[in-house]
Amino acid sequence: MHAQIVLFDGFDPLDVVAPFEVLHAGGTASGGSVTVELVSAEGAREVVSGTGGLTLRATAALDPERADLVLVPGASGRVSEAEDGPEEVFGEAAVDVPGAAPADVIDQPVPVLIGRTLTTGLPALLRAAMDDASVTVATVCGGSLVLALAGLLEGRHATTHHLGLDLLDATGAHAVRARVVDDGDLVTGAGVTSGLDLALYLLEREAGPRIAHAVEELFAHERRGTVWRDLGPVPAAL
């Protein structure tokens, strides 16, 4: 399985690094049957995150024809407006580091950063990935909103950060309040730390439970939550 993890200006680093490490370790544990790379819609470039100007390098262009898995992170930035003091960023404080990144990325509202992806070549590439039944598309946190706002999740079951569930639902997706949602060739994760759980689940699904368990032990992390699927009886009210 070859995985491409997408970088875009303002991405959340934890959404990217946690799945990258899990999948990379899975590749080692499986003797190379899993490979992973960082990509962008524009090709190889330095990509500035929304967290303090931290920059990661995309080594290639997003190419759904080369990928078995395309993973889209969310954005890191302000989620509320305030007159004074640092803004809250999905559990972190925004850091203003002069010169660390362009002003149009650092400390910007998350909806703005996600909305800007719609003006790039990313939506067309993601549509190509979604249209290819052999490609699994996965998201962490607000990554599902990138897809949803591009009109790619109508009628699909998905999750996102709890603060974005109403917006996700408003796009025509079926928003599910779960840590990981498996909708076949679409697998989505909730808040930022769910990237670990989502990647471990994908590793189990694609490489087998023994490989996933070995990586769990390596990282001293036990997967949280039940993976939600649209299967079984509808539960009665509790």
Side-chain angles (χ1 to χ4, degrees):
M1 176 180 73
H2 181 59
Q4 294 190 330
I5 300 179
V6 178
L7 302 180
F8 58 84
D9 294 325
F11 71 91
D12 188 308
L14 186 56
D15 291 2
V16 169
V17 173
F20 184 95
E21 288 214 32
V22 168
L23 295 172
H24 178 70
T28 301
S30 64
S33 68
V34 178
T35 55
V36 58
E37 64 180 336
L38 301 181
V39 299
S40 80
E42 298 78 19
R45 68 181 181 99
E46 302 292 323
V47 187
V48 179
S49 79
T51 301
L54 178 67
T55 301
L56 295 179
R57 178 164 180 78
T59 58
L62 170 59
D63 182 359
E65 293 186 359
R66 291 198 305 113
D68 303 296
L69 169 67
V70 173
L71 190 148
V72 185
S76 176
R78 296 200 310 272
V79 296
S80 61
E81 296 294 338
E83 294 181 1
D84 300 299
E87 304 295 333
E88 202 169 311
V89 213
F90 291 117
E92 302 177 6
V95 181
D96 185 9
V97 184
D104 61 353
V105 174
I106 284 279
D107 202 27
Q108 294 294 311
V110 166
V112 169
L113 295 171
I114 290 177
R116 285 176 181 165
T117 66
L118 303 179
T119 67
T120 71
L122 183 57
L125 291 167
L126 293 177
R127 181 176 295 278
M130 293 286 290
D131 287 344
D132 187 338
S134 69
V135 177
T136 296
V137 176
T139 68
V140 180
C141 200
S144 56
L145 293 174
V146 173
L147 293 170
L149 292 173
L152 301 178
L153 292 191
E154 187 169 355
R156 302 297 300 265
H157 293 93
T159 191
T160 189
H161 189 280
H162 65 273
L163 293 177
L165 285 169
D166 288 344
L167 176 57
L168 180 62
D169 203 58
T171 66
H174 300 303
V176 180
R177 190 176 290 273
R179 192 160 177 82
V180 176
V181 172
D182 182 340
D183 197 39
D185 59 1
L186 173 70
V187 183
T188 55
V192 285
T193 59
S194 70
L196 279 170
D197 304 297
L198 175 131
L200 284 165
Y201 172 68
L202 289 169
L203 201 56
E204 177 184 358
R205 199 177 86 159
E206 303 299 331
R210 296 179 68 178
I211 298 298
H213 181 258
V215 175
E216 273 193 1
E217 284 201 314
L218 176 66
F219 290 164
H221 175 78
E222 294 183 358
R223 258 175 36 207
R224 293 171 51 194
T226 299
V227 175
W228 188 95
R229 301 180 188 85
D230 188 21
L231 296 173
V234 177
L238 299 175

